[in-house]
Amino acid sequence: MRSLVVAAALLLLTACSSTKKAGSPPAGSSGINAGHYTSTKHINASNGAVVSAHPLASMAGLEMLKKGGNAVDAAIATQWALAVVYPGAGNIGGGGFMVARLANKEKIAIDYREMAPSGAHRDMYLDANGNAVAAKSLNGHLSSGVPGTVAGLFAAQRYAKLPMRVLIQPAIDFAEHGFVITAAEARGLNANREDFQQFSTRPTAFVKQAQWREGDTLIQKELAATLRRIQENGQPGFYEGETARLIVEEMKRGSGIISLDDLKTYQAKLRQPLGFTYRGYQIIGMPMPSSGGLLLNQMLKMIEPYNIGAMGFATPAAVQLMTEAERRAYADRARYMGDADFVKVPVKELTSEAYLKNRMQDYDPQKAGNSKQTAEGIVPGYESEETTHLSVLDKEGNAVAVTTTLNNSYGSRTVVGGAGFLLNDEMDDFSAKPGSPNLFGAVGGKANAIAPGKRMLSSMAPTLVLKNNAPFLVVGTPGGTTIPTSVFQTIVNIIDFNMSTDDAVNKPKFHHQWLPDRIDIESGFPEQTSRALEKMGYKLYNRKQIGRTEVIKVQPGGKMEAVADHRGDDSAAGF
Ligand code: GLY
């Protein structure tokens, strides 16, 4: 057993965004002090590292590594904890994806995306005139798909070492005894106060009489009881019995359509991860029903023939090349991508060398492309912001990338009465009507139309990069449709621009998604590059923030470098 002094010496803390302190909630049996914690942006570690959107969640993962668990144990515990300490996106009422590569070289993709309830139908969000009504697919009970997270965590458990009752304990402690909230959490809860009241039918822990302030303690007794039911009864503790009854009663009070049978029959699915190479590195990504892996494959392969490293980071030439690859990949997303259990997605064709070469044939390095002219590619015979990411790596070489979401910030803002957790508004990720944009402005077609039991197309892109057949990067981010482009840029920043991991994570990002035909640029994006792009004919759109990327990189010699995005409360932990 390493002494604390040795463990501390192994940690190189290079940045610290904030320390939370308040009337300390009592530590539960997990022993993490939820009343006093620090957000750590960069660590070096030898035995294992966890990066997530919240310091307490990263600490919960770290605790499992120290107890002898592997990266999967840590990822599961981190997710349970996020469901409590990061209610805007961490969840048990939403869904997600896990991509892992185990020390024995087995590659895993777990799909626990939400599913359209059996009562859903293609036109359920259209008004009498046939127009999509975003308020219906984004707010309240009807916007929720059948949650997948709990099933996903139990599906992941077969690769873990520790019992679920241990992995879930920190989350129960944080819910039962409370935790001190950050300024960002206070802002989020206050901003959604009226929505919680409007879209929930019972009082919730998220609304109190006064405004929330940094340092307040959030206690979630009902959520603690729900987590204990899962601890005692396993997966049926959520999908059957008391919790299922509470979900269905909530649905009935708010005209939602999730039924007892929808819950009982929900299954997480093991998928074949999507794999490809980029400049000799092996990339492992999430397949359908997420577009994340396929978009990343298309974009990286479209730029591979060009020496982008020589162009330089954030130069007009590099940004333009990447933008044009993004435009073309997202046009294909709109046309071809959806739940492959329901529609044929021509993955092989969309990623073939000939197809991608042809896609870039009209790329002109002097001039902006045009989304009216750049429709989706032709595949012969084809018929037819708030999310959160965590990265974990352990010393045995188990690498786990998880992205999970409620869709919007705090999802549907419907809290299940008596059960204390938020439901997702993931139904908005379906294409409610061909050509009508969703929350992220993305358009879709028949491939992503609503059908009972179908999973809505996602952009989440939990990704692993291997070098010489060993883990090199664990990477992912929230950000709706900006997820694949942020992961794309992070990988190019590290592989092609040879940037430090901190810069690769924190430097301003940009995004193009075919429609709307514009480049979104994050605050701090170089002014000179913006002007040059405008001269080429691009329209630019300013965004305060794009993504919150969590990266673990293996350095020469084998040490792990874990970097948490500076854009939020994100925090790295390791030893
Ligand atoms: N709800 C965001 C996504 O799955 O892409």
Side-chain angles (χ1 to χ4, degrees), residues 95 97 113-114 289-291 333 385-387 403-408 425-426 428-429 438-440 456-461 479-484:
F97 302 109
R113 183 68 161 163
E114 300 92 326
S290 186
S291 61
R333 181 191 195 275
E385 194 145 350
E386 225 16 74
T387 298
T403 314
T404 179
T405 188
L406 289 166
N407 195 31
N408 220 332
D425 62 332
E426 217 73 61
D428 189 67
D429 268 350
N438 71 3
L439 168 67
F440 305 105
M456 54 296 281
L457 184 65
S458 172
S459 300
M460 292 189 277
T481 46
T482 68
I483 292 172

Side-chain angles (χ1 to χ4, degrees), residues 219-237:
I219 297 172
Q220 300 171 77
K221 293 277 184 197
E222 290 179 346
L223 178 56
T226 299
L227 293 170
R228 269 198 303 273
R229 283 193 292 278
I230 298 169
Q231 189 180 45
E232 280 155 24
N233 304 315
Q235 189 170 325

Side-chain angles (χ1 to χ4, degrees), residues 232-272:
E232 280 155 24
N233 304 315
Q235 189 170 325
F238 182 85
Y239 291 98
E240 297 174 44
E242 174 77 351
T243 312
R245 183 182 65 76
L246 290 168
I247 295 171
V248 172
E249 278 176 9
E250 184 62 54
M251 285 289 125
K252 285 187 181 144
R253 289 194 296 272
S255 307
I257 56 172
I258 297 175
S259 69
L260 282 175
D261 203 47
D262 290 334
L263 291 163
K264 196 169 170 182
T265 55
Y266 180 87
Q267 284 185 335
K269 296 188 181 181
L270 290 184
R271 306 276 186 197
Q272 190 62 35

Side-chain angles (χ1 to χ4, degrees), residues 32 155 462:
I32 298 170

Side-chain angles (χ1 to χ4, degrees), residues 168-185:
I168 202 171
Q169 190 60 48
I172 294 176
D173 291 340
F174 299 147
E176 180 73 41
H177 305 298
F179 68 100
V180 165
I181 63 169
T182 63
E185 189 59 62

